[in-house]
Amino acid sequence: MTTGASSGEPLVVLAGVNKHFGDLHVLKDVDLTIHRGEVVVILGPSGSGKSTLCRAINRLEPIDSGTITLDGEPLPEEGKALARLRSDVGMVFQAFNLFAHKTVLHNVTLGPVKVRGMDKAAAEKRGRELLDRVGIGEQADKMPAQLSGGQQQRVAIARALAMDPKVILFDEPTSALDPEMINEVLEVMTQLAKDGMTMVVVTHEMGFARRAANRVVFMDHGKIVEEADPETFFTAPRSDRGKDFLSKILSH
Amino acid sequence: MGALLDNLALLRDGFLTTLRLTLISAALALVLGTLLGACRVSPVPTLRGIGTAYVELVRNTPLTLVFFFFVFVAPQVDLKLPFEVSAVVALSLYTAAFVCEAVRSGVNSVGVGQAEAARAIGLTFMQTMSQVVLPQALRTVVPPLINIFIALTKNTSVGVGFFVTELMAVGIRLTNRFPADILTVLTGIAVCYLAITIPAGVLAGRLERKVAFAR
Ligand SMILES: Nc1ncnc2c1ncn2[C@@H]1O[C@H](COP(=O)(O)OP(=O)(O)OP(=O)(O)O)[C@@H](O)[C@H]1O
Ligand SMILES: [Mg+2]
C-alpha cells in the first residue's frame, strides 16, 4: 500500500495555517497537501495539535491565518456555503457522536435527506446497504445506545459515507473503544482505504498506519516535524523528536 | 355559595379570559423564547448579544412594570392597543425571557458533539437546531417550561390592575359585592386557577415520558 504519496491531484491543501487558543499557539505555519485517494496518518504526542488540524479542515475550528482549500475552493466563512462544503468532508469522532434520538438507520439517512435532498425511500435503501457494508445491517432499527462502542463507530463511518464525501477525517476513531472492538473498526477503515477513499486519520494504531497509510505526518508542538512513508518513519525516523516519540510508543 | 352560583356567567367570563390570556401568551412566548434561545447559542456574536440583552433586561424587570409600559406608555407614542392585547403582549414578552433561558439550558445539556456531528454532515445552523439539538433538548426543557407556564397562568392576574376582566378581577368585584362570602369567593377563584394548572401538570408528565429516550 505504500505507493508514492502524490498519486492523485491535490484535494486538501493547507498553507501557512496558524491557530491560537488564547495565548496558546496550537498550529504553527502548517503546510500540508493531501492528494485524492491518499491515506494520511497523523501522529504526535498529546496536545501537539492533531485534533485541531483535523477539525480545521472542515472548519469546526476556524483558523487565524493561512489558507485551506478543498478541491481548489477556499473554505467559506460561515453559513450555507460552509455547510455545503462540510457535506463533502466526512468526519468520524473519537466519541462517535451518533444522534442519540434517532435510530441507527436515521442517523445514516439524515444527511442525504436534509442536505442532499434525497428521496427518503432511496436514502433508506442506500443507508441499509452502507450499514451492511460496515457489518451492522441487522442493527438498523435500534437506537445508538443499544449498540456496543465498536458498532456505534461503524455506524458513524456509514453516516459519513452516506454523504459520498471527497475525504473523511478520523480523529482517534478507536481511542474510546474497548480493546476487543478496535479491530472491527480498523478493518472497516482498512477496507475503505483499499477502496480508494481519501482519508486523514489521527490514530495511535501503528498497525493500521503501516497497513493502510500512504504517508505519516508527525506533529509536535503545533508543527509538522516530519513527513514520510510509514515504513521509513517507523524504521528510520529522521527527527530526534520522532525517534523519541516512537521509543515511547513502542515501549508501551 | 350564592355569591358564586348567582354570578356563574361572570365567573365563566373571567375564567375564559384568564385561559385565553394564558394560552395565547404561552404560544407566543414559546415561539419568541425559542428564537431568542437560538440567538443565545448562535455562532453570530450580534445575535448572541441581542438574546442576552433581552433576557437580562426583561427578566429583571417586574411584570407590573412591563404591563405599565404597554398600557400607559405605549399609547403616548400612538401605539394604542385594546387592554387585553396589551396584556397578551406584556405577558408574552415577559415569559419569553424565561422560555429563552429554559431553551438555552436545554441546548447546553445536549453534548457539543451532537451539534458538531450535525454540522459535519453539512446541516446548516437552523437544521442542526431543529433536527438534532432541540429534539434532544426537549427532554430537559419540558419540566422547567411547565413551571414557566404555571407561573404565567398566575401572572395573568397582574392584568387586574390594567383593566382586564380576568379571574382575579372577577374575584375582587365579587368580594366587594359580597363581603360576607369572601372566603367562598376566593376559594372559587383559586379552584378556577387549579382547573388550568393541574391539567397542565398532567399534560407535562405525559409529554415528559414521551420525549424521554435512552441515551
Ligand atoms: N477549545 C480549546 N480551547 C483551548 N485550548 C484548546 C482547545 N482545544 C484544544 N486546546 C489546546 O490546544 C492544544 C492542542 O490540542 P489538540 O486537541 O489539537 O491536541 P491533540 O494533538 O489532538 O492531543 P490529544 O492526543 O490529546 O488528542 C492542547 O494544548 C489543548 O489543550
Ligand atoms: Mg486529539
Side-chain angles (χ1 to χ4, degrees):
Chain A
M1 271 306 290
T2 48
T3 47
S6 44
S7 43
E9 76 250 44
L11 182 62
V12 181
V13 180
L14 293 86
V17 170
N18 281 284
K19 166 80 186 175
H20 295 78
F21 283 120
D23 288 338
L24 194 65
H25 199 169
V26 192
L27 294 179
K28 299 174 185 161
D29 280 319
V30 171
D31 297 313
L32 179 65
T33 300
I34 293 142
H35 302 87
R36 209 180 288 277
E38 194 179 20
V39 177
V40 174
V41 162
I42 302 181
L43 296 175
S46 182
S48 56
K50 306 178 299 290
S51 297
T52 309
L53 177 70
C54 218
R55 293 160 56 84
I57 295 176
N58 67 355
R59 214 170 193 283
L60 280 181
E61 288 301 348
I63 56 174
D64 301 334
S65 65
T67 57
I68 301 178
T69 61
L70 178 80
D71 223 354
E73 265 187 83
L75 297 196
E77 291 273 303
E78 268 298 334
K80 287 235 159 60
L82 179 60
R84 192 167 348 101
L85 176 131
R86 281 189 181 133
S87 70
D88 288 334
V89 181
M91 181 136 196
V92 174
F93 302 86
Q94 180 173 350
F96 329 133
N97 295 348
L98 293 184
F99 305 131
H101 63 308
K102 292 196 177 290
T103 63
V104 163
L105 182 62
H106 288 150
N107 263 272
V108 179
T109 57
L110 183 67
V113 171
K114 293 291 166 192
V115 179
R116 299 271 193 251
M118 198 192 251
D119 167 70
K120 214 168 167 178
E124 295 198 351
K125 183 165 175 288
R126 174 93 204 289
R128 288 188 191 276
E129 284 167 16
L130 287 169
L131 289 171
D132 281 338
R133 183 168 157 195
V134 298
I136 30 179
E138 308 88 78
Q139 323 284 342
D141 300 310
K142 290 194 179 163
M143 297 304 277
Q146 296 172 278
L147 270 53
S148 73
Q151 291 174 323
Q152 290 192 49
Q153 195 61 299
R154 285 184 281 151
V155 175
I157 294 174
R159 175 174 69 181
L161 287 173
M163 301 304 290
D164 289 318
K166 293 175 178 169
V167 49
I168 305 186
L169 313 170
F170 295 83
D171 188 1
E172 303 207 29
T174 58
S175 297
L177 295 178
D178 294 335
E180 70 270 19
M181 293 172 187
I182 291 177
N183 270 332
E184 64 190 52
V185 172
L186 290 180
E187 271 163 30
V188 169
M189 291 171 59
T190 308
Q191 190 55 47
L192 273 187
K194 279 201 188 120
D195 295 344
M197 176 57 72
T198 311
M199 296 162 66
V200 178
V201 186
V202 177
T203 185
H204 297 299
E205 295 297 329
M206 301 303 147
F208 173 80
R210 281 198 130 107
R211 194 160 68 231
N214 301 107
R215 187 156 47 121
V216 167
V217 171
F218 174 67
M219 289 185 74
D220 194 20
H221 289 106
K223 277 203 170 113
I224 293 184
V225 177
E226 186 168 347
E227 287 185 59
D229 66 87
E231 215 41 53
T232 311
F233 181 74
F234 289 122
T235 50
R238 269 175 285 125
S239 62
D240 289 341
R241 280 188 278 177
K243 279 178 198 146
D244 191 43
F245 173 76
L246 281 178
S247 70
K248 277 187 189 134
I249 285 233
L250 297 177
S251 67
H252 283 173
Chain B
M1 220 40 201
L4 289 177
L5 293 179
D6 296 346
N7 293 287
L8 274 183
L10 188 62
L11 199 61
R12 184 201 60 207
D13 287 350
F15 176 78
L16 289 180
T17 304
T18 292
L19 189 62
R20 196 162 56 236
L21 285 178
T22 305
L23 291 180
I24 298 177
S25 306
L28 292 176
L30 191 61
V31 173
L32 180 62
T34 307
L35 289 176
L36 285 166
C39 283
R40 288 211 70 176
V41 297
S42 102
V44 185
T46 328
L47 290 181
R48 277 204 303 275
I50 291 172
T52 311
Y54 184 95
V55 168
E56 290 309 325
L57 184 72
V58 174
R59 195 171 55 162
N60 294 311
T61 307
L63 175 59
T64 314
L65 208 61
V66 181
F67 262 86
F68 203 90
F69 181 84
F70 282 97
V71 175
F72 296 119
V73 181
Q76 292 182 6
V77 292
D78 275 344
L79 184 68
K80 280 202 176 63
L81 300 171
F83 293 129
E84 197 177 315
V85 176
S86 300
V88 164
V89 171
L91 287 166
S92 308
L93 292 180
Y94 181 75
T95 308
F98 294 88
V99 172
C100 169
E101 284 309 272
V103 169
R104 186 176 72 109
S105 70
V107 165
N108 288 342
S109 77
V110 180
V112 283
Q114 294 287 309
E116 287 195 340
R119 283 150 71 206
I121 58 170
L123 296 183
T124 61
F125 173 72
M126 283 313 236
Q127 287 174 323
T128 299
M129 291 304 282
S130 67
Q131 299 294 321
V132 175
V133 178
L134 289 178
Q136 294 189 59
L138 217 52
R139 201 185 28 195
T140 355
V141 170
V142 167
L145 223 44
I146 290 305
N147 287 336
I148 291 170
F149 289 143
I150 287 175
L152 166 65
T153 310
K154 297 183 285 185
N155 281 341
T156 55
S157 66
V158 173
V160 69
F162 300 89
F163 319 110
V164 183
T165 319
E166 40 65 75
L167 265 178
M168 201 58 216
V170 170
I172 290 173
R173 202 180 293 179
L174 290 182
T175 49
N176 283 339
R177 232 189 297 160
F178 307 96
D181 291 334
I182 185 160
L183 190 63
T184 323
V185 170
L186 291 184
T187 308
I189 297 293
V191 167
C192 286
Y193 278 108
L194 289 178
I196 298 177
T197 51
I198 289 179
V202 172
L203 187 72
R206 291 237 180 105
L207 212 60
E208 234 180 296
R209 277 193 296 280
K210 214 172 157 202
V211 297
F213 57 86
R215 280 219 246 200

